[in-house]
Amino acid sequence: MNRESGLTLVDVVIATAIVLIIVGVAYPGFKTANDTIATSGRQDRMERQGDRALRLLTEEVRSGWITALTPSGQAPSVTIRSVRGAVNLADLAATGTVPWSTDERTIRFRQVETINEMSLEEDVNRDGDWNDTFALGVLESVETVGTEVVATPITGSASQVILALPSYAGDLNGDGIGDPLFEVDGRTLDIRLHQITRTEAGQILKTATRSKIHLRNPQE
């Protein structure tokens, strides 16, 4: 006598329960792996943004003359004058002077907001307390074109530049040493670019990129 094959309601319920158990056990692992991949990608974008910003800064300042540097305690900026274009080398050799352009370009930190460790409940600079406040913002290049002031972003949207308040040059990595964005020593411009972002899960990610640019021209 033949019996029809198939699933009974009890079989379906049991199979569904087994699937739900398997999914319930596996989901935390899948979520952790997904979060790790997302965090790694976010960190990578921040690092690439920092590298790109330093390349742009190097192009801006390497052949220039620094005409102004923001005084300590203010949002940092550095103003640069470039060599005038279409220079005749014979005239340059005869005069012995650098034919500087009258046009200047300013690289500046533009503050967007402030954050403090107490409200974040996070030791952002790893100095052992929750007492610090920081300025967050963007790095941009500013020049005057005709009568219009044009600001071009140097850092992107993957993260924000972070500086320690109130001096804008405080410790950002817990080593007890200040981290100013710009520092000039003779013909060397030292740039410390610290960036920060916060993931959807609330995790704080940071990157630090540093470069010492030797300026080709005397700065006096």
Side-chain angles (χ1 to χ4, degrees):
M1 182 177 181
N2 294 330
R3 297 182 60 188
E4 294 183 2
S5 61
L7 295 176
T8 67
L9 179 59
V10 173
D11 294 329
V12 172
V13 171
I14 292 173
T16 303
I18 291 173
V19 171
L20 290 175
I21 292 171
I22 293 173
V23 171
V25 171
Y27 177 74
F30 288 140
K31 186 177 187 304
T32 299
N34 184 66
D35 290 346
T36 300
I37 293 171
T39 298
S40 177
R42 192 84 168 262
Q43 190 86 24
D44 181 63
R45 288 195 298 273
M46 289 173 63
E47 291 172 357
R48 284 190 280 111
Q49 176 174 284
D51 290 340
R52 175 183 174 276
L54 285 182
R55 286 197 302 271
L56 291 175
L57 286 170
T58 299
E59 294 171 2
E60 289 274 5
V61 306
R62 176 158 285 172
S63 297
W65 168 32
I66 296 176
T67 60
L69 197 66
T70 303
S72 59
Q74 299 180 22
S77 70
V78 57
T79 301
I80 300 152
R81 182 172 296 176
S82 300
V83 175
R84 191 176 68 247
V87 176
N88 188 307
L89 294 181
D91 294 340
L92 179 61
T95 61
T97 59
V98 179
W100 297 111
S101 170
T102 57
D103 297 328
E104 294 182 331
R105 187 187 302 266
T106 297
I107 310 298
R108 72 181 184 188
F109 169 77
R110 178 170 59 81
Q111 184 171 333
V112 175
E113 62 177 314
T114 61
I115 60 172
N116 63 78
E117 294 176 327
M118 188 64 69
S119 62
L120 293 174
E121 297 185 350
E122 177 104 17
D123 184 6
V124 174
N125 62 356
R126 301 293 184 264
D127 66 348
D129 60 50
W130 286 359
N131 300 325
D132 302 293
T133 303
F134 305 93
L136 302 184
V138 298
L139 202 57
E140 57 189 16
S141 174
V142 182
E143 63 179 327
T144 301
V145 179
T147 59
E148 183 181 2
V149 177
V150 179
T152 305
I154 295 176
T155 53
S157 59
S159 61
Q160 292 178 291
V161 178
I162 179 172
L163 296 172
L165 296 174
S167 67
Y168 292 94
D171 182 19
L172 291 171
N173 53 16
D175 63 0
I177 301 173
D179 294 298
L181 179 59
F182 302 124
E183 190 170 31
V184 177
D185 182 10
R187 289 173 66 169
T188 300
L189 174 63
D190 191 356
I191 303 174
R192 300 177 181 89
L193 181 59
H194 289 255
Q195 299 174 95
I196 188 171
T197 191
R198 195 177 182 93
T199 67
E200 290 76 8
Q203 181 183 4
I204 290 179
L205 304 178
K206 297 189 299 177
T207 62
T209 314
R210 185 173 183 178
S211 179
K212 290 189 176 184
I213 303 173
H214 181 71
L215 305 166
R216 294 192 179 117
N217 299 299
Q219 300 302 297
E220 59 278 340

